[in-house]
Amino acid sequence: MKLIMYGVNRDTVSSVDIHKYGLDESLRMRHLNDISRFDGVSEIVLVTTDNRNEYYLYIDEQSFRHGDLLRYLSSHTGKCLEEIILETYSKFNNDVVKHLFTLTSAANEQSESVNVLEQALYESSIQGTAGDTLTGLFKKAIEFSLSLFDNETLYPIVSGYETRTIQSLKQYYPIKEDMNFLIIGSNDSINQITKYIIGKTSAYLTFLEKNEKSKAMVANIKKWMSLTSDSRWESEIQSVELSQLVYRLSKADIVIIGPSIQNAWLSEELLDDMFEMRPTAKKQLIIDLCGSQDETLFSDYPALKYTQIGDTPEQDYSLEKIEEARTYYEEYLSSKTNEFMEIFNRKNEDKTRVLPSREPASHNVSFIKRISYKV
């Protein structure tokens, strides 16, 4: 058994033809179902973004025909087979794993959001085309990407909102199991910070549902929990309406205000109401990623630690530190890739020893039977 990936992106296809590879939701479902029926295909996950389409497959190399997928793409795009061969790229085993790990890595300047991998895994799970192998691979890729945010050695090359927010947490208020978080705002950075927190602890997370974007992010977080089977969080994550803001502020140990928030939410009146509701004084950290709060306001509240994180790094790193970080990243990436492949190869060996040979499943019909020309 082998891991393979075939893909196209904006660098491999001309801008005139890129639309021919476009896939809406219904087409993605069709591609998953069609390709899962090819001879030798055990599992498939399809990653699609504005920049790329990538087909990740777990196959039996003895019966899978690589030409089947190329002919299928030829049929979908209306392009000749020779063009498809020139415009697609492919990877196998170790290179598949390393590529997927890098795809959403913050150390990659052209990285995609981890939401891309979650959506791909979710759709393939719904269609029943992802099994243990690809599900495990995609989970590891997401875990790898989130792990970069708190690796201090990588700070010179991983310095976005996520990293600097996590730095602030570590410096002032290390995450503990019984902590309360209040999240205000929604965007990709907030989404990833939240998933980092979920991976680190069983603290309580409350989201302020101020608009449809906030609701969509909460839905995404819950979908992520179902994908990872992380039942710890079922009773510890919730969303509330604006009317509960004062009460939730009074309970929160850490308040994170996202970069999408445009107005100064925390006023003197609101903070006074919060302290009036709170029975006893407590240490509290407020992390502001939008920069719209009045920083002078917090000088009158010694129990509150307010820190503002802008859209550019505050610290400049030397070229030497940046090079050290890049070297460490490559070693870390190789280590995690090898770690996954060791488990993958061991499981394949176990399957070979215990499973009897069997005929291909009756539903696996090679695409070569429907298109006459061969590759």
Side-chain angles (χ1 to χ4, degrees), residues 249-281:
L249 276 173
S250 71
K251 289 179 65 67
D253 297 294
I254 297 174
V255 180
I256 301 177
I257 304 172
S260 61
I261 302 300
Q262 300 300 316
N263 302 314
W265 278 58
L266 303 181
S267 63
E268 184 176 357
E269 180 181 6
L270 182 63
L271 292 178
D272 287 341
D273 289 345
M274 178 189 76
F275 279 106
E276 185 175 336
M277 181 172 288
R278 181 181 293 164
T280 56

Side-chain angles (χ1 to χ4, degrees), residues 184-201:
I184 302 174
S186 59
N187 80 331
D188 191 52
S189 293
I190 289 292
N191 193 316
Q192 295 194 59
I193 290 166
T194 300
K195 287 166 184 172
Y196 166 86
I197 295 169
I198 288 175
K200 288 291 181 181
T201 181

Side-chain angles (χ1 to χ4, degrees), residues 216-233:
M217 190 184 75
V218 173
N220 175 271
I221 297 292
K222 291 182 176 179
K223 183 167 69 176
W224 159 244
M225 289 161 52
S226 69
L227 284 174
T228 56
S229 303
D230 203 338
S231 58
R232 299 175 302 151
W233 284 84

Side-chain angles (χ1 to χ4, degrees), residues 82-252:
E82 288 74 15
E83 286 185 274
I84 297 296
I85 293 172
L86 290 173
E87 292 175 345
T88 54
Y89 50 90
S90 60
K91 297 183 183 295
F92 302 89
N93 283 343
N94 296 56
D95 289 337
V96 172
V97 178
K98 184 171 288 189
H99 176 79
L100 188 63
F101 282 14
T102 306
L103 192 61
T104 56
S105 161
N108 173 13
E109 293 181 357
Q110 298 180 329
S111 67
E112 307 279 2
S113 164
V114 293
N115 293 343
V116 167
L117 303 191
E118 294 164 14
Q119 183 64 26
L121 187 54
Y122 180 71
E123 290 180 353
S124 61
S125 298
I126 289 176
Q127 296 301 115
T129 64
D132 292 342
T133 298
L134 290 184
T135 298
L137 172 59
F138 272 67
K139 286 182 179 180
K140 282 296 182 183
I142 295 169
E143 180 184 305
F144 173 84
S145 294
L146 295 176
S147 74
L148 303 181
F149 296 135
D150 69 342
N151 193 320
E152 295 185 16
T153 308
L154 296 174
Y155 283 174
I157 59 173
V158 182
S159 57
Y161 279 124
E162 301 90 347
T163 302
R164 282 174 281 137
T165 299
I166 291 161
Q167 278 182 282
S168 294
L169 288 173
K170 285 183 168 183
Q171 291 169 0
Y172 184 75
Y173 219 155
I175 299 174
K176 298 182 296 185
E177 296 294 312
D178 59 347
M179 297 180 85
N180 270 283
F181 286 80
L182 174 62
I183 313 294
I184 302 174
S186 59
N187 80 331
D188 191 52
S189 293
I190 289 292
N191 193 316
Q192 295 194 59
I193 290 166
T194 300
K195 287 166 184 172
Y196 166 86
I197 295 169
I198 288 175
K200 288 291 181 181
T201 181
S202 295
Y204 298 92
L205 272 172
T206 301
F207 295 88
L208 186 66
E209 284 194 355
K210 68 182 190 67
N211 56 29
E212 290 304 315
K213 287 185 178 179
S214 299
K215 293 178 181 178
M217 190 184 75
V218 173
N220 175 271
I221 297 292
K222 291 182 176 179
K223 183 167 69 176
W224 159 244
M225 289 161 52
S226 69
L227 284 174
T228 56
S229 303
D230 203 338
S231 58
R232 299 175 302 151
W233 284 84
E234 289 180 2
S235 61
E236 295 164 351
I237 182 172
Q238 56 189 316
S239 54
V240 299
E241 297 180 350
L242 185 58
S243 59
Q244 294 193 44
L245 177 57
V246 175
Y247 172 67
R248 295 298 170 179
L249 276 173
S250 71
K251 289 179 65 67

Side-chain angles (χ1 to χ4, degrees), residues 6 38 64-74 80-86 88 366-369 371-375:
Y6 280 92
F38 290 178
F64 177 75
R65 299 180 180 90
H66 295 270
D68 285 3
L69 183 54
L70 297 175
R71 281 183 286 273
Y72 185 82
L73 294 178
S74 174
C80 69
L81 188 61
E82 288 74 15
E83 286 185 274
I84 297 296
I85 293 172
L86 290 173
T88 54
S366 174
F367 199 72
I368 199 171
K369 297 176 183 177
I371 294 181
S372 58
Y373 48 76
K374 298 182 181 180
V375 62

